[in-house]
Amino acid sequence: MNDVKITKIKAIETAPNGVNLVLVKVDTNQPGLYGLGCATYTQRYAAVTTTVREFIAPLFEGKRVNGIEDIWQTAMGSGYWRNGPIYNNAISGLDQALWDIKGKMAGMPVYELLGGKCREAAAVYRHADGCCPEEVEENVRAFAEQGFRYVRCQQGVYGGAMGGGEQAFCKPEHAPGGAYYDPKQYMRTTLNLFERLRVDLGEEIELLHDVHERLAAGDAVRFAKEMEPFGLFYLEDVLPTEQIRWFSALREVCTTPIAMGELFVNPMEWKGLVADHAIDFIRCHISMIGGLTPAIKLAHFCDAFGVRTAWHGPNDITPVGVAAQLHLDLASPNFGVQEFFGFSALEEEIFRGAPQVRDGYLYANGKPGFGIELNEELALRYPCAYREPGWLLARLPDGTAVRP
Ligand code: GCO
Ligand code: MG
């Protein structure tokens, strides 16, 4: 074990679906033994790959593979300033790859290294979107027929704008471009949407919704309260990370289950929320907090406070990142639900052995490590590229720029 060393740490950029993804491949001095880790920050992919190439690779090539915790701690400390999304993703790529290698060396799937399965598969939720309640409901029914029991429902894009259609509000003269939306219109249409969904679909299906930090704090508290009658599985990102202190006020008046965390990068953002029982589900994107090593600790910390996991996992994550979250899902007693966007055929060709979904459950393939083999040549045929931030340039009706 002690003579297995890292020979090469490579950052691989790939965008098979037109979404920028970052993967780290760690080669070793053992023929055929390599590890894969997800380092995807889709909006700043080149900053992550540069960090891996310029700072992580020179520091850890030549080191032994076995000391994952020591490597994680020295990687985090070696930049002095820490806990930012770019550097955390770079560390995550190395960290997850070392867990993959350790599983392959042990001849075990990573979930076995984490204590073994608490369940055979992880229940997942899909995204049912639509420009009107009828279309959203149609998509919920389609997922329910495929066996999915959990469905996130959104009318329009985040903040409820119909995406390009004329808004029912006027802007000031010379207002700048951007993704305009009206918070009050968003609240009205969403309450109307869930009233209809509950009447038409009944209580069997678990419905989720993502506020995506689009409301002023006081409105957010009122909105979460008004969503109570619809018995959501959870309401997500009700407030931006900058307004974390409002969650205790929300908890005082509202029983809607609360999920938060996809934007978290620093333990100071979650420690208080979890210890105060202010949220029901933790939603981190695990490469954004530094990889599987910190996510294991966070899952165990949440377990002590009755908070369940619901790791972030739409389309800006590699199948390796999905696998890393899935192995933790399988081994966590306080697993809640796993977000899942689905893989394209091309993605499954690049990442052979990617987790498979059946009847609403996501399955690992039982192979050692994360069980995924990379077709690197094919991955490199789909380079990442700069993409206009579009929907991220959110603005209120008067043109004020807000968090997206
Ligand atoms: C979700 C998230 C995503 C993010 C996206 C940002 O709940 O899946 O809110 O849709 O907006 O990951 O890049
Ligand atoms: Mg979200």
Side-chain angles (χ1 to χ4, degrees), residues 308-328:
R308 287 178 282 171
T309 66
W311 305 122
H312 176 258
N315 57 350
D316 47 352
I317 184 173
T318 64
V320 172
V322 172
Q325 294 186 164
L326 172 61
H327 282 247
L328 183 53

Side-chain angles (χ1 to χ4, degrees), residues 111-180:
Y111 56 73
E112 293 294 358
L113 306 180
L114 303 180
K117 285 180 177 177
C118 297
R119 59 195 59 76
E120 284 307 308
V124 299
Y125 74 85
R126 298 302 301 270
H127 294 181
D129 301 334
C131 65
C132 59
E134 294 75 13
E135 187 179 7
V136 176
E137 179 176 330
E138 190 182 314
N139 289 328
V140 176
R141 289 183 186 279
F143 282 127
E145 279 157 26
Q146 295 168 42
F148 294 100
R149 202 172 137 240
Y150 301 82
V151 184
R152 189 193 81 172
C153 306
Q154 308 284 137
Q155 182 171 334
V157 295
Y158 293 128
M162 293 307 132
E166 269 314 300
Q167 273 85 13
F169 53 82
C170 67
K171 306 171 194 165
E173 294 165 7
H174 314 303
Y180 282 77

Side-chain angles (χ1 to χ4, degrees), residues 9-11 22-24 26 37-41 45 47-57 60 72 75-76 84-97 287-291:
I9 298 172
K10 192 190 294 183
V22 179
L23 184 77
V24 169
V26 174
C38 188
T40 299
Y41 177 179
Y45 66 92
V48 176
T49 45
T50 301
T51 302
V52 173
R53 291 170 186 150
E54 299 300 321
F55 306 110
I56 297 289
F60 294 104
W72 194 91
M76 185 56 83
I86 290 166
Y87 198 47
N88 285 359
N89 269 285
I91 295 173
S92 168
L94 172 59
D95 177 76
Q96 292 185 18
S287 67
M288 288 286 175
I289 65 171

Side-chain angles (χ1 to χ4, degrees), residues 58-261:
L59 189 53
F60 294 104
E61 283 174 351
K63 297 289 191 300
R64 297 197 308 237
V65 299
N66 56 334
I68 297 178
E69 181 69 39
D70 183 69
I71 287 174
W72 194 91
Q73 295 296 343
T74 46
M76 185 56 83
S78 66
Y80 188 56
W81 280 273
R82 46 199 176 265
N83 293 312
I86 290 166
Y87 198 47
N88 285 359
N89 269 285
I91 295 173
S92 168
L94 172 59
D95 177 76
Q96 292 185 18
L98 293 176
W99 278 103
D100 191 20
I101 288 167
K102 197 176 277 291
K104 288 176 177 177
M105 290 174 70
M108 292 183 201
V110 170
Y111 56 73
E112 293 294 358
L113 306 180
L114 303 180
K117 285 180 177 177
C118 297
R119 59 195 59 76
E120 284 307 308
V124 299
Y125 74 85
R126 298 302 301 270
H127 294 181
D129 301 334
C131 65
C132 59
E134 294 75 13
E135 187 179 7
V136 176
E137 179 176 330
E138 190 182 314
N139 289 328
V140 176
R141 289 183 186 279
F143 282 127
E145 279 157 26
Q146 295 168 42
F148 294 100
R149 202 172 137 240
Y150 301 82
V151 184
R152 189 193 81 172
C153 306
Q154 308 284 137
Q155 182 171 334
V157 295
Y158 293 128
M162 293 307 132
E166 269 314 300
Q167 273 85 13
F169 53 82
C170 67
K171 306 171 194 165
E173 294 165 7
H174 314 303
Y180 282 77
Y181 76 102
D182 176 0
K184 293 295 184 1
Q185 177 196 38
Y186 156 65
M187 288 193 281
R188 284 193 302 273
T189 51
T190 303
L191 289 164
N192 175 57
L193 169 69
F194 279 90
E195 185 169 11
R196 174 196 170 110
L197 291 176
R198 266 304 174 224
V199 167
D200 290 359
L201 300 171
E203 300 298 322
E204 283 309 297
I205 189 95
E206 293 283 8
L207 301 179
L208 301 78
H209 181 70
D210 192 345
V211 179
H212 217 274
E213 58 179 349
R214 290 305 183 95
L215 299 175
D219 286 342
V221 172
R222 180 162 60 83
F223 178 71
K225 178 75 182 165
E226 290 173 344
M227 289 287 272
E228 267 180 352
F230 309 127
L232 296 188
F233 182 71
Y234 66 56
L235 190 62
E236 167 187 353
D237 283 21
V238 178
L239 294 156
T241 45
E242 293 82 359
Q243 302 306 334
I244 280 175
R245 297 293 299 274
W246 273 83
F247 277 98
S248 47
L250 175 63
R251 212 45 156 184
E252 290 297 314
V253 299
C254 178
T255 59
T256 297
I258 298 299
M260 183 69 183

Side-chain angles (χ1 to χ4, degrees), residues 4 7 15 17 48 57 117 133 144 153 155 167 192 205 210 224 256 269 282 289 318 339 353 358 361 378 386 396 403:
V4 180
T7 54
N17 300 333
V48 176
K117 285 180 177 177
C153 306
Q155 182 171 334
Q167 273 85 13
N192 175 57
I205 189 95
D210 192 345
T256 297
E269 294 169 314
I282 190 74
I289 65 171
T318 64
E339 181 173 16
R358 297 188 293 274
Y361 286 99
L378 187 55
Y386 174 78
L396 295 175
R403 295 284 187 272

